[in-house]
């Protein structure tokens, strides 16, 4: 008998993750092997996912379905701190020549909600979705700096401080000192801490009265480190102006 209850839900979500992470369509047999379940169980789990539009069955296998973009739109609607955020990101991209990002902290998670980087740009190290490298990214540091110390400690305890490059801060004490600097100067910077080839710069956005108290937003840009060194002030100015436009 196919599993029911929490195990079934967990496996169904794992199937959804597997299809999302795959480079192309995934067959039911492949999914069954990955889930370590029978083929009949895999089909039992796939049926509601396809029925609700989360997945689509093609001749080559399963792919993400039309419900997924709607979920992303809902996420943006729930987190968006200012009207026309996509337009603001586009303007920031034009002003800096760097990819721009909108990120948010809510309920113990940091999420890259939107970006100007094309979905086909697989080399870009910062893609929409859950962010697990907050200690090493400018947007993560900008958000963490705004949190009360207990929430910040809880976040770091749950997500860790993995060493990603030789420049990554992995000490809680050193990170606290870094976040104090972020609060003092009004922006966060990460030079090769998450990816050795990239520098990113971020600012936290003013908190609007219409949003939950535990939600914090940030704008950021990322670009090759050498390009940032040529015009740091220009990029900081454009980012500060974009943040002011959100107020």
């Amino acid at each position: 008998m196919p599993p029911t209850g929490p195990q079934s839900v967990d496996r169904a979500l794992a199937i959804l993750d597997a299809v999302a992470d795959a480079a192309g369509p995934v067959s039911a047999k492949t999914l069954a092997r990955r889930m370590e379940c029978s083929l009949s169980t895999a089909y039992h789990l796939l049926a509601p996912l396809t029925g609700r539009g989360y997945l689509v069955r093609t001749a080559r296998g399963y792919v993400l379905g039309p419900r997924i973009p709607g979920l992303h739109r809902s996420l943006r609607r729930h987190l968006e701190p200012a009207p026309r955020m996509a337009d603001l990101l586009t303007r920031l991209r034009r002003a800096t020549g760097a990819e721009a990002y909108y990120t948010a902290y809510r309920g113990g998670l940091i999420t890259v909600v939107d970006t100007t980087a094309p979905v086909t740009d697989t080399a870009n190290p910062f893609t929409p979705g859950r962010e697990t490298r907050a200690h090493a990214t400018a947007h993560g540091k900008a958000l963490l700096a705004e949190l009360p110390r207990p929430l910040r400690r809880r976040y770091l305890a749950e997500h860790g401080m993995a060493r990603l490059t030789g420049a990554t801060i992995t000490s809680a004490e050193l990170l606290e000192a870094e976040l104090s600097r972020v609060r003092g100067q009004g922006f966060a910077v990460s030079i090769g801490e998450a990816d050795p080839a990239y520098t990113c710069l971020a600012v936290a956005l003013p908190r609007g009265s219409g949003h939950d108290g535990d939600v914090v937003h940030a704008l950021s840009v990322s670009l090759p480190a050498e390009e940032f060194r040529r015009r740091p002030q220009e990029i900081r100015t454009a980012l500060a102006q974009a943040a002011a436009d959100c107020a």
Side-chain angles (χ1 to χ4, degrees):
M1 177 180 295
T4 59
Q7 183 186 19
S8 180
V9 173
D10 186 67
R11 279 182 167 175
L13 293 174
I15 283 176
L16 189 59
D17 285 338
V19 173
D21 293 340
V26 187
S27 69
K29 288 183 179 180
T30 299
L31 290 169
R33 285 196 300 269
R34 291 185 185 178
M35 299 303 110
E36 297 182 345
C37 65
S38 67
L39 184 58
S40 62
T41 295
Y43 278 123
H44 174 79
L45 297 169
L46 286 162
L49 291 172
T50 54
R52 290 176 175 268
Y54 293 101
L55 296 178
V56 171
R57 186 178 184 180
T58 72
R60 296 174 53 209
Y62 289 87
V63 296
L64 292 181
R67 180 72 180 107
I68 302 302
L71 292 178
H72 187 237
R73 286 193 297 272
S74 295
L75 174 66
R76 290 171 58 184
R77 185 177 70 252
H78 291 166
L79 291 174
E80 192 165 6
R84 301 179 299 279
M85 175 57 70
D87 291 341
L88 189 147
L89 291 177
T90 299
R91 294 199 305 271
L92 182 57
R93 172 72 174 82
R94 292 197 194 104
T96 62
E99 300 298 354
Y101 308 83
Y102 159 47
T103 56
Y105 167 93
R106 182 173 67 170
L109 295 177
I110 289 177
T111 305
V112 180
V113 182
D114 203 2
T115 173
T116 58
V119 294
T120 54
D121 184 4
T122 56
N124 190 290
F126 311 111
T127 56
R130 184 173 176 177
E131 177 61 270
T132 60
R133 308 160 298 170
H135 63 295
T137 65
H139 54 257
K141 288 191 280 188
L143 294 169
L144 290 173
E146 293 293 308
L147 297 181
R149 191 181 181 95
L151 286 181
R152 186 161 60 245
R153 284 183 168 180
R154 186 185 309 166
Y155 179 91
L156 294 172
E158 291 177 355
H159 294 85
M161 299 177 63
R163 181 173 295 282
L164 304 171
T165 74
T168 306
I169 298 174
T170 58
S171 159
E173 182 179 350
L174 291 178
L175 183 62
E176 281 296 331
E178 171 74 358
L179 297 181
S180 179
R181 284 191 291 273
V182 170
R183 288 188 290 272
Q185 64 193 13
F187 65 89
V189 63
S190 168
I191 302 176
E193 294 176 47
D195 185 292
Y198 283 84
T199 289
C200 50
L201 194 74
V203 293
L205 299 180
R207 299 197 190 197
S209 59
H211 295 275
D212 296 337
D214 68 341
V215 180
V216 187
H217 310 91
L219 283 179
S220 62
V221 294
S222 73
L223 66 168
E226 183 59 35
E227 186 177 347
F228 174 78
R229 282 192 288 268
R230 289 198 296 267
R231 48 194 184 92
Q233 188 56 51
E234 175 189 340
I235 294 169
R236 281 198 294 267
T237 299
L239 187 58
Q241 181 59 56
D245 290 343
C246 287

